[in-house]
Amino acid sequence: MSVVTLVPPIVTLLPEAGGSGAHGEAGVQPVVAPHSADSLRLLDDPAEWSAFSRPSECGNGCWESSVVIEGMHCAACSLTVEDAIARVPGVVEVQVSAASHRARVVWASGTVQPSGWMEAVQESGYRAVPANDVFASERRRLETRKALWRWLVAGLCMMQVMMYAYPAYVALPGDLSQEMESLLRWASWVLTLPVILFSCGPFFTSALRDIRLARVSMDLPVALGIAITFVMSTVGTFEPQGIFGKEVYFDSLTMFVFFLLTGRWLELRLRDRTAGALEALMNRLPDSVERLNAQGAFERVAVRRLLVGDLVRIQPGEAFAADGVVELGETLVDEALLTGESRPLGRQTGEQVVAGSHNLSATVQVRVQRVGADTRFAQIVALMESASATKPHGAQIADRLAKPFLIGVLLAAALACAWWWGRDPGHALMVAVAVLVVTCPCALSLATPAAMLAAAGSLARNGVMVRKLQALEMLAKVDTLVFDKTGTLTQDAMVLDTVQVRDGMTEARALAMAAAVAQHSKHPASRALVRAHGLRSAQSVDGQQERWVSTSITEAAGQGVSGEVSLSGAAAQPGSVMVRLGAASFCGVAQDASESLRVFLSDAQGWIATFSLSEDIRPQARHAVQALARQGVAVHMLSGDSVDSVARVAQLVGIDLARGGCSPADKLAFLRSLQSDGHTVAMVGDGLNDGPVLAGAHVSFAFGQAVPLAQSQSDFVVMGESLDSVVQTLLLARKAMAIVRQNLWWALLYNAASIPLAIAGWMPAWLAGLGMATSSLIVVLNALRLARPVPQLSAQAHMEN
């Protein structure tokens, strides 16, 4: 994937990039600042769109862009950005996630250009940058560093202010002279200035932006509380005999600013951690790669310059820049983030490698087969970008309530202040400050998206891609799961079950003769015979196996293959035998009524052997079905194959409810009958021919490496080969929804308890700040439990057995 880079404030030159590699580079591209309309218009060049956009499924010249929104802090911010983009003519759809700070924008290229809706974001006080901006991580690191410095300054000043405030708390009447008390107040005021001018900068900047644009966000009540406390305490310092001179609150002010910044900084770190799977995946591609040039030498070029058919050289430690096939060498590769396979995989000449995987052990040369958006890596990244910008239903409700709630907070603070004003104006203002701070709905807005993003990140690390975060909510309610058979419970390959031979013929010789002609056919049955012969040869005790060679091969499509076979090597005998391998009619032998898949071998004398084949059951299939049953999920199997074949597979994997001979319409009708009975149904298919059924289920999985991700109708895509991933996803979805409920209850109980205490004047400002920061941290930390490694079910089942 190519990368658009936006950095302030000058134009510079950078390597054309595709990720985070560190190699030198041949090609360069201009890098421009996003602060001016002219620089944003550089992105209106259609040649640049592929760097941050892709054609949308809705067609009609629509494009779908994924961007990071910088400057957001809360759910109200996300709604502001959504509204700003949605008002731009030509924008078809927009979603902004407050948890991941990402936006998904679908726009019509005939009506609006990228600069149009990006300018709208900028005018609303934020900044949109491409999701794969190479400087995004650097800016995030600088943001974290600034947040840490603000926190340190606030903490240092808080400790000093508390030291000066301490005598006023412990002194008895007459212990402190008026001069000494004024000196302590002045010292506290001076030490509070760095906190206001530096540490509180983000709060005031956001609040001023809200006032200028006549809107409200979660920073506005906080900034008002800080400003009111500082102004009131400043007046009390300069006019000790005035209405606010009774007491100053610099200690409370610095303390709750310190607590607020502590919460913000930790939330920033935790958000980066929960979204780390997406960032790690997007940065898998190198900046450049060694390509063979016309002179026969390898030169380093930008990844975006690769073309299909190029020969590239990948050194140990580098990532593969494109999908291709190994032409020279053998190595070990790491595909953990792409397939969920944690073990290194061997790749040798003739085998496929995928973009984004890492070369671990040796230099290899690879012939490029797919580049850019055509690679599976690009499809995975696009899928994850889309998921990270979607909002679960719970988060949508919380976002819609955020602005009315904040307006209610401002009114509640004003009413509380008015109620207390007649008794003590200073106390009245501090009650208002406590109400403003303690009622900030940060915890409520984070409750659902924090858990969902953590769960999606954990699943991505285990090879399960989440297309829609809402699907996790629905999956947690599933009580019925329907498996397709072929390619889902079974693998694409067939296996040899039994061999029957005529008198005077051995099974080993018959299989060797069959394999000699079968190796020239691509039919699944032929591949199964060749594989079986190879396995039996490798397992031979004495290592001596007859080797047969074939000539004059002829294949009849859908019928079989024929040719002459003869012994090779020391055991060779003169002459050759003409044999036929395939269906009974092709081989000229009688066919019985059995519905099992059988392949026959015959010669001029007639029948030689019968090879009975069966589908290869996935190793984890039975364990997965048992695990689903333990979770109270009813398991069904539907297939278009014969009833006998379906019954055999159902018996092997432990499914009692199975139907064979089903057309796609039959499958969909059965699914709807389950739904009409009140069941929440999940469908697991191979993603290739189950589109209508997958789309009709409440939630669906597309299973297998052959899934075209951009066209898949499923909610989840399993990248690996293990059925355990389906069960793990179900368990994680249930755990995620349990954590969402815990977070929501905590947020509601916190507000229900804190608001009356603050209005009653029993909660000082520093405690309000501590409560607000703690509530948000508890929500995020609770959600972070979902980021723990998912246990392997097969290992658990093996231990149980």
Side-chain angles (χ1 to χ4, degrees), residues 41-60:
R41 290 192 184 100
L42 295 177
L43 299 179
D44 293 342
D45 183 356
E48 298 294 336
W49 293 352
S50 61
F52 60 96
S53 309
R54 63 183 181 275
S56 173
E57 295 178 359
C58 63
N60 300 322

Side-chain angles (χ1 to χ4, degrees), residues 360-375:
L360 297 179
S361 60
T363 301
V364 291
Q365 294 181 16
V366 176
R367 182 70 63 181
V368 175
Q369 293 182 324
R370 286 177 295 276
V371 298
D374 295 330
T375 64

